[in-house]
Amino acid sequence: TSFTLPLLGFEVDSINSVQFSNHTGYSHWKGQVLTADELHVLYEGIKLNNVHHYDYVLTGYTRDTSFLEMVVDIVQELKRANPNLVYVCDPVLGDHGSMYVPQNLYPVYKNKVVPVADIITPNQFEAELLTGKNISTEKDAVEVMDLLHAMGPDTVVITSSDLPSRLGDRFLVSLGSQRHVRPDGSRTTQRVRLEVPKVDAVFVGTGDLFAAMLLAWTHHYPTDLKTACEKTFSVMHHVIQRTISYAHELAGPGRRPSPPQLELRMVQSKADIEDPAIVTEATVIS
Amino acid sequence: MECRVLSIQSHVVRGYVGNKSATFPLQVLGFEVDSINSVQFSNHTGYGHWKGQVLTAEELNVLYEGIKLNNVNHYDYILTGYSRDISFLETVVDIIKELKKANSSLVYVCDPVMGDQGAMYVPENLLPVYKNKVVPLADILTPNQFEAELLTGRKINTEEDAIEVMDLLHKMGPETVVLTSTDLPSKQGDQFLVALGSQKIKKPDGTNTDQKICMDIPKVDAVFVGTGDLFAAMMLAWTHQHPKDLKTACEKTVSVMHHVIKRTITYANEMAGPGKRPTPAQLELRMVQSKADIENPALVVEAKILQKSSQ
């Protein structure tokens, strides 16, 4: 976030919810977490200087319900200060059928966080969890996205799903849905579908990059979810390709790269972040 | 370029000081930056209010342990700046010593932040730690005149004094010293300040040479925060590109500073309105907007070579 969004011209104020040596996928990790109180203190400092004016708020992975509830309070106050504020929320709960945060975060997301979100980026598991509905077909996915709209956000992107891709089993399916109010007051919904190449590796941080880039590209294309998604998924593709090539070089032939070797090649991907060549075309679906 | 920097500096939620000032420019120039945030504050301490938390020496050690346990404690550069805590600074020294053992080519870029304009703005007991422990490990040092005088115990009244002080600093450790600002009178008049630099280089035949330069830098009528941090980061970047050419490294560094500062003061004056002095919030460096200047700074200053002697 703090490199990629400024590259695209955004001023980013960042509150670090933890400071760890590295992500928790390495063999070892050490560091300190920020408490809900400490978060509040930092926000107080911003407020006392009367600079608590933001166009966007972006949040991701949290493990702590009181921290998450403090985030909700802050978002609500910032929305009062600027009613046009857009809250981009990655509701990080789990993946592939299991939760990887404490279970008691789930009601907080469902009842407090998602209702104040404007853009959410759940994966299939998170979308199913939040709506209580399973996704087995594209029709299910559309219904789930409509249910999520009804909970709050006008823009929903299901970042990955197990739906079978038209391009075969080397691809996964992502879907997006955006509600607009037309000038005449009537509502319309644009829905898109993308076939995204699978990569045979576990990346960490890609969801965070995705949410940040969706913020950037929906900012430039606020009523064109098709283009915003094409750009976002294309950036992801370039960064991931560069990363996996480099990781294999470092690991050597026939060996699986390690977590440090798989760190995203962010700095090296500057040109792709600034101006992504489009590598995937979204299909508009009804 | 595969170059990894460990930067141990402050983090502010809003604004550009410490790691916020150093990290984006270095990444834009292709450096991998690992940052340890020594504090997390809402904003720098020049605003009306500031709030936040500090990292203890223990906590710093724990973070470093994490890096070490994963066997990724390999860096090409270390960068440090403002510190208020002796035990924190001493832990930084221990970490640097260990990293230098892991990589004997490691370059430690040190901004010995202690004060300016004749007054210290850190606790006095940091001076002996800088003098006896930190500076001896440094490879590149970016003191202002006051800090250079404190470290060497010598006053700078003339250019000759400045040269002697830089030579004394070389003897303490660093091969590259830049006096980032002085009160010396500039030949271009009182709208300019004088900065100087000195670099010791070993020639292929084994003999030593040194390059000494000076620059006249336009003064700006405002108080900026974070500029020293940006300066040290850019010195790291441009000495990396020009390791034996202090003249070019300094011209590029000072030029980047000029572009960022000019953009910042223009914007700040716009925001403040005619006849009003901009606030600290309005004077935050226009870092994001200066990306092109950071990537490829148009030169706006020419350094003069003072002496190039061989021993």
Side-chain angles (χ1 to χ4, degrees):
Chain A
T1 307
S2 57
F3 175 61
T4 55
L5 284 175
L7 273 187
L8 292 167
F10 291 83
E11 283 280 355
V12 178
D13 285 6
S14 33
I15 295 181
N16 299 322
S17 56
V18 309
Q19 179 164 225
F20 287 170
S21 51
N22 41 264
H23 70 68
T24 58
Y26 284 55
S27 320
H28 310 272
W29 55 272
K30 283 189 181 289
Q32 300 89 28
V33 302
L34 198 71
T35 66
D37 271 337
E38 290 169 331
L39 167 61
H40 193 236
V41 162
L42 286 171
Y43 176 68
E44 276 298 300
I46 298 286
K47 206 165 105 169
L48 281 167
N49 290 304
N50 201 26
V51 289
H52 55 301
H53 302 287
Y54 293 98
D55 303 291
Y56 287 89
V57 176
L58 176 62
T59 68
Y61 183 72
T62 309
R63 293 194 68 79
D64 182 325
T65 45
S66 56
F67 193 91
L68 194 52
E69 287 180 324
M70 182 63 64
V71 168
V72 170
D73 288 344
I74 290 171
V75 169
Q76 282 172 325
E77 201 172 294
L78 290 174
K79 282 195 163 196
R80 283 196 289 272
N82 174 15
N84 295 325
L85 185 143
V86 173
Y87 173 28
V88 179
C89 169
D90 185 2
V92 182
L93 288 158
D95 205 355
H96 298 122
S98 63
M99 283 186 82
Y100 46 55
V101 301
Q103 294 227 335
N104 56 5
L105 257 72
Y106 162 65
V108 184
Y109 271 111
K110 192 167 149 161
N111 303 321
K112 297 191 185 181
V113 180
V114 173
V116 294
D118 299 288
I119 298 176
I120 57 167
T121 60
N123 54 38
Q124 175 175 340
F125 173 67
E126 291 157 350
E128 291 173 336
L129 205 57
L130 288 167
T131 56
K133 223 195 109 83
N134 261 23
I135 295 173
S136 302
T137 63
E138 186 180 283
K139 189 161 166 292
D140 292 338
V142 168
E143 278 180 46
V144 162
M145 291 192 292
D146 280 342
L147 284 169
L148 288 167
H149 284 315
M151 290 170 73
D154 283 341
T155 303
V156 177
V157 178
I158 298 180
T159 54
S160 62
S161 74
D162 290 335
L163 293 173
S165 168
R166 295 172 190 147
L167 299 182
D169 65 7
R170 311 299 290 274
F171 289 79
L172 61 87
V173 173
S174 304
L175 301 110
S177 177
Q178 189 173 58
R179 284 210 166 152
H180 307 283
V181 182
R182 289 200 194 94
D184 67 4
S186 61
R187 282 174 149 228
T188 179
T189 306
Q190 185 190 52
R191 297 185 183 88
V192 297
R193 175 194 167 114
L194 300 105
E195 324 293 315
V196 177
K198 286 184 185 171
V199 186
D200 182 27
V202 176
F203 294 105
V204 182
T206 39
D208 306 324
L209 177 61
F210 186 92
M213 293 299 90
L214 192 66
L215 184 160
W217 293 113
T218 53
H219 179 76
H220 288 298
Y221 301 99
T223 54
D224 181 0
L225 185 64
K226 179 179 184 295
T227 303
C229 282
E230 285 168 350
K231 298 237 173 182
T232 303
F233 278 100
S234 296
V235 173
M236 300 304 300
H237 171 85
H238 296 300
V239 174
I240 285 171
Q241 279 311 321
R242 182 172 284 106
T243 302
I244 195 75
S245 300
Y246 182 76
H248 280 142
E249 253 179 68
L250 283 190
R255 299 174 91 154
R256 282 195 89 69
S258 63
Q261 292 168 337
L262 281 163
E263 287 287 0
L264 297 176
R265 296 294 275 167
M266 205 71 85
V267 165
Q268 299 75 11
S269 298
K270 183 175 67 172
D272 295 314
I273 293 161
E274 288 169 334
D275 191 13
I278 305 296
V279 298
T280 176
E281 210 189 321
T283 320
V284 176
I285 61 177
S286 51
Chain B
M1 171 175 74
E2 203 53 42
C3 205
R4 194 165 280 266
V5 179
L6 175 64
S7 179
I8 305 176
Q9 301 195 59
S10 316
H11 172 79
V12 285
V13 171
R14 180 190 202 278
Y16 295 97
V17 302
N19 270 332
K20 279 289 266 323
S21 193
T23 306
F24 177 68
L26 283 171
Q27 290 171 323
V28 157
L29 289 168
F31 291 83
E32 284 280 358
V33 182
D34 286 6
S35 28
I36 295 180
N37 297 324
S38 57
V39 309
Q40 178 166 225
F41 287 169
S42 51
N43 43 265
H44 71 68
T45 57
Y47 282 58
H49 309 270
W50 56 270
K51 284 189 180 288
Q53 301 90 26
V54 302
L55 199 70
T56 64
E58 284 279 297
E59 291 169 329
L60 167 60
N61 214 26
V62 163
L63 286 170
Y64 176 67
E65 276 299 300
I67 297 286
K68 206 165 108 168
L69 281 166
N70 289 303
N71 200 24
V72 291
N73 55 331
H74 303 286
Y75 292 98
D76 302 293
Y77 287 90
I78 302 182
L79 178 60
T80 67
Y82 183 70
S83 194
R84 289 195 69 79
D85 183 323
I86 302 187
S87 56
F88 193 89
L89 196 50
E90 288 183 322
T91 305
V92 168
V93 168
D94 289 341
I95 289 172
I96 294 170
K97 282 186 184 156
E98 205 173 290
L99 290 173
K100 282 197 167 198
K101 282 202 283 271
N103 173 15
S104 48
S105 306
L106 185 143
V107 174
Y108 171 30
V109 180
C110 171
D111 185 2
V113 182
M114 284 184 283
D116 206 355
Q117 322 281 17
M120 282 188 85
Y121 46 57
V122 302
E124 294 215 337
N125 53 8
L126 257 71
L127 171 59
V129 184
Y130 272 112
K131 197 165 144 164
N132 302 321
K133 299 190 185 182
V134 179
V135 173
L137 288 176
D139 300 289
I140 298 176
L141 197 73
T142 61
N144 55 36
Q145 173 174 341
F146 174 65
E147 291 156 353
E149 291 174 339
L150 266 185
L151 288 168
T152 57
R154 273 212 51 156
K155 282 251 169 281
I156 295 173
N157 294 312
T158 63
E159 192 180 273
E160 287 69 39
D161 292 338
I163 289 173
E164 277 181 50
V165 162
M166 290 193 290
D167 281 340
L168 284 170
L169 288 168
H170 283 314
K171 285 210 178 71
M172 289 169 73
E175 285 177 356
T176 303
V177 177
V178 178
L179 295 182
T180 55
S181 62
T182 69
D183 289 337
L184 294 173
S186 165
K187 293 175 181 132
Q188 298 199 28
D190 63 7
Q191 298 294 321
F192 289 79
L193 63 87
V194 174
L196 299 105
S198 177
Q199 187 173 55
K200 289 210 164 305
I201 310 160
K202 229 182 176 64
K203 294 207 309 227
D205 64 4
T207 58
N208 284 323
T209 185
D210 69 88
Q211 184 183 67
K212 287 195 167 60
I213 56 138
C214 85
M215 288 166 290
D216 298 285
I217 303 177
K219 287 183 182 169
V220 186
D221 182 27
V223 176
F224 293 105
V225 184
T227 39
D229 304 326
L230 178 60
F231 188 96
M234 294 300 89
M235 273 303 291
L236 185 160
W238 294 116
T239 55
H240 180 76
Q241 294 299 332
H242 305 283
K244 298 199 166 76
D245 182 359
L246 185 64
K247 179 178 183 296
T248 303
C250 283
E251 285 168 351
K252 292 206 173 177
T253 301
V254 170
S255 296
V256 172
M257 301 303 302
H258 171 85
H259 295 300
V260 175
I261 285 171
K262 274 243 108 45
R263 183 172 284 105
T264 302
I265 192 73
T266 302
Y267 180 79
N269 283 330
E270 251 179 67
M271 299 276 293
K276 297 175 100 152
R277 280 193 91 69
T279 63
Q282 292 166 336
L283 280 164
E284 288 286 2
L285 297 178
R286 298 295 275 167
M287 199 73 81
V288 166
Q289 299 74 12
S290 300
K291 182 178 67 173
D293 295 314
I294 291 164
E295 287 170 332
N296 195 17
L299 293 185
V300 297
V301 67
E302 205 187 326
K304 197 177 74 171
I305 296 179
L306 291 181
Q307 81 190 52
K308 206 168 169 144
S309 58
S310 304
Q311 280 104 41

